[in-house]
Amino acid sequence: MRRGLRVGLAAAVATVLALTGCSAGQAGAAGDEDVFTAAVVQTYTTPPDPDINYDGPGLNIIQNTYEGLVKYEDGTGTAKIVPALASAWKVSKDGLTYTFTLRDGVTFHDGTPLTSRAVADAIERRAQVDGGPAYMTADVTKVAAPDDRTAVLTLSAPNSAFLDYLASPFGLKLISPSVLEEHAGKDHAQTWLTSHDAGTGPYELASAKTGSRYELTAYDDYWGAKPGFGTVELEISQNASATQLELERGEIDAILGNLNKSAFESYAQSKTVTTSTFPNLTTQMIYVNPKSKAFTSAGQRKRLFTGIDTKGILSAAMGSLEEPTGQLFPQGMLDSALDDQGITFDKDALADIAASAPAKGRTVRIGYAGSSADGKSVAEELASRMNSSGLKAEAVAYAAGTIYKLTDDLSAAPDLAVFSVFPDAGHPDSWGRIIYTPKGGLDLFGAEVNGLDAGLDKALTTTDRSAYGPVARSVIDSRNWFSIGSLNTTLLTTPGISGTRKAQNLLEYNVLHFAALGRS
């Protein structure tokens, strides 16, 4: 593989987030209808630096204060790349040169005008900081600026995922060159950007108390549409139940995510709370430990998959929060004919496995991230159904950091793991390398597929996504992974909050683009 792919733990979706805001009835938590208060129900201490942040929750700051050259379209169920700070772009026939035309009239939050210099400086800084997202621009060997409105990027080799990585929520964000120079210090301005921002987005970071509270204020000179709220307050909370009570009392506007089926569906008939879901590329999977003594061959693992009633399990555990899938990759990333997993439910399979030599008398342990409500629900439902079929099973919670270290001792690791992941970008290369290669960071059991890296490298050289068919087939044949469902972003609001669909993005799990929101 040409580039050093390093995926941070928070690129996974075992991370869950809740956003809350001021109610239409109470004119906001601060007594001002122009204020939207959001409570993030999860620990979040990562600096809001676009070259450092690799956390899902952090995107609520990054995506509202910074912008890249391109982005994925908001409010739609397809991963369509659209203009952002670049109004247009061209790709050379050999796939090595990308020419971007920058927008006129854009300024950074410190007043510095946007020019092509910012593109070169941003790419250089990303390499210097060398954080988790650095791999996305690692193929860039040269940045030319023939004029202030034109940036020309040259790659070391053709990379069909490059535009997707630029559009990624974790992709390259442009930072004021003036700020990078003035506050460079000894760490390329990392210290300064812990409590400030230097982007071009609709909001600027007015104050930051790491891990506790963040305040965003609308940028008066923003080049795009004026945000609906002048101020957004982000508060870090560890008490989801208290947040729900605040919503019920009309003290806040919204809760985004961090809800299990019963909590979400309890509001279905409410007159004071509106429920909605939004499609997402987040995919829930069952990983199989290649060292499991209960499932020692690809044939046995396939038999296990046929015994898992994904539709029934997801209906019982997740309801409208998740849609069953038969595809290996996130739905819509590939034509279904290329990555259909070929699994048909067999109600007798689990009983047969219980009686077979490898599994007989064993207790199958099903691991899940303790912080994941969806993982817990599905793991427990799966264990219950296994036990009902005579196959002993138990669901086991793992602390957030622990579940990423299962490869340290596979003999002590669970037999299976239920885990949800969202890709860095809407391109199959992103998903394939992150999940199915040990270097990717989210191959929880370190399972390997012979020749997969070479297959991914070959597919990356063409824009024809059918090239990922052989990649998908080799992963499917290994039966080390089984994609079972596509998670939805969930949202609870009080009546009167508008723009919620346009504020969400297929590539961002439980994140809001606050500028699209308003009070009707």
Side-chain angles (χ1 to χ4, degrees):
M1 142 184 188
R2 289 191 305 274
R3 46 188 174 72
L5 180 60
R6 291 153 302 135
V7 178
L9 302 183
V13 156
T15 302
V16 193
L17 170 72
L19 297 177
T20 64
C22 53
S23 76
Q26 282 202 242
D32 185 346
E33 287 212 15
D34 199 33
V35 177
F36 185 91
T37 301
V40 180
V41 187
Q42 184 191 339
T43 301
Y44 171 65
T45 58
T46 303
D49 181 331
D51 293 325
I52 294 295
N53 179 77
Y54 218 1
D55 279 347
L59 294 177
N60 283 283
I61 301 174
I62 302 297
Q63 290 293 82
N64 285 290
T65 55
Y66 291 91
E67 295 170 306
L69 292 168
V70 293
K71 65 179 182 178
Y72 290 111
E73 185 175 18
D74 294 333
T76 178
T78 58
K80 179 182 178 181
I81 297 175
V82 296
L85 294 180
S87 58
W89 60 89
K90 295 187 299 182
V91 183
S92 63
K93 290 184 178 181
D94 62 7
L96 295 176
T97 304
Y98 290 71
T99 302
F100 295 91
T101 301
L102 304 185
R103 292 185 184 276
D104 289 319
V106 178
T107 60
F108 291 93
H109 296 158
D110 66 336
T112 301
L114 170 66
T115 68
S116 51
R117 174 193 169 186
V119 180
D121 286 0
I123 290 176
E124 181 180 9
R125 181 184 190 261
R126 180 156 283 211
Q128 292 169 332
V129 171
D130 199 24
Y135 78 91
M136 295 181 177
T137 53
D139 281 352
V140 178
T141 59
K142 179 182 178 182
V143 181
D147 57 61
D148 284 350
R149 302 263 68 79
T150 306
V152 183
L153 280 56
T154 302
L155 307 186
S156 58
N159 183 343
S160 62
F162 184 63
L163 274 179
D164 285 272
Y165 281 125
L166 289 181
S168 165
F170 301 105
L172 182 74
K173 301 295 187 290
L174 301 194
I175 305 172
S176 168
S178 301
V179 167
L180 293 181
E181 183 176 348
E182 181 179 354
H183 299 282
K186 296 181 180 180
D187 61 0
H188 311 292
Q190 289 183 64
T191 298
W192 196 82
L193 290 177
T194 297
S195 55
H196 304 80
D197 88 275
T200 62
Y203 287 94
E204 52 187 324
L205 184 60
S207 64
K209 187 175 181 181
T210 302
S212 177
R213 185 181 182 86
Y214 303 85
E215 182 177 303
L216 309 179
T217 56
Y219 179 48
D220 290 338
D221 294 326
Y222 182 58
W223 62 270
K226 181 180 179 181
F229 288 99
T231 300
V232 174
E233 294 180 352
L234 297 175
E235 297 179 353
I236 308 303
S237 170
Q238 296 298 308
N239 195 328
S241 296
T243 302
Q244 287 177 233
L245 288 174
E246 289 180 297
L247 180 69
E248 293 166 6
R249 292 193 297 259
E251 297 171 359
I252 59 177
D253 284 317
I255 299 176
L256 176 64
N258 203 32
L259 297 171
N260 57 30
K261 174 191 173 185
S262 60
F264 184 76
E265 294 184 349
S266 68
Y267 295 106
Q269 304 302 319
S270 173
K271 295 182 179 180
T272 58
V273 176
T274 301
T275 65
S276 64
T277 60
F278 188 81
N280 196 270
L281 288 184
T282 300
T283 301
Q284 190 168 57
M285 298 180 296
I286 295 175
Y287 290 64
V288 184
N289 184 343
K291 298 297 183 180
S292 170
K293 294 182 179 179
F295 312 105
T296 58
S297 69
Q300 290 168 348
R301 294 190 288 271
K302 181 179 180 181
R303 186 62 172 155
L304 167 67
F305 296 164
T306 65
I308 298 175
D309 179 10
T310 54
K311 291 183 179 179
I313 289 173
L314 294 183
S315 176
M318 300 298 293
S320 61
L321 278 63
E322 187 167 354
E323 303 292 336
T325 183
Q327 292 186 247
L328 179 72
F329 282 66
Q331 290 196 63
M333 192 172 280
L334 292 178
D335 186 296
S336 60
L338 296 173
D339 66 339
D340 186 296
Q341 295 172 104
I343 297 297
T344 301
F345 174 57
D346 180 349
K347 62 182 179 60
D348 298 318
L350 291 183
D352 291 344
I353 292 172
S356 69
K360 189 173 184 179
R362 297 185 180 277
T363 297
V364 176
R365 289 185 300 136
I366 307 168
Y368 65 90
S371 60
S372 172
D374 56 87
K376 174 180 171 66
S377 296
V378 172
E380 290 181 346
E381 183 67 21
L382 175 58
S384 175
R385 292 179 180 236
M386 284 183 166
N387 284 312
S388 296
S389 299
L391 182 61
K392 297 179 182 179
E394 62 178 357
V396 182
Y398 285 80
T402 307
I403 199 162
Y404 300 105
K405 298 179 181 179
L406 297 179
T407 54
D408 290 350
D409 186 0
L410 287 178
S411 63
D415 299 280
L416 310 173
V418 175
F419 199 65
S420 300
V421 184
F422 64 82
D424 282 359
H427 191 283
D429 182 73
S430 169
W431 184 263
R433 292 191 196 272
I434 289 173
I435 308 300
Y436 307 127
T437 69
K439 295 179 182 178
L442 293 177
D443 183 0
L444 295 184
F445 291 121
E448 296 188 60
V449 177
N450 290 335
L452 188 62
D453 279 321
L456 286 165
D457 286 344
K458 180 179 179 181
L460 194 61
T461 63
T462 176
T463 58
D464 183 0
R465 292 200 176 182
S466 66
Y468 287 90
V471 170
R473 180 48 48 195
S474 65
V475 173
I476 291 170
D477 288 345
S478 77
R479 302 297 176 183
N480 287 313
W481 301 269
F482 182 31
S483 295
I484 61 172
S486 300
L487 288 168
N488 290 318
T489 289
T490 59
L491 180 63
L492 302 180
T493 67
T494 54
I497 296 299
S498 62
T500 55
R501 183 173 180 84
K502 191 62 177 177
Q504 298 180 73
N505 193 283
L506 183 69
L507 270 294
E508 299 166 25
Y509 188 66
N510 295 338
V511 173
L512 282 180
H513 292 188
F514 301 119
L517 300 176
R519 203 181 297 283
S520 61

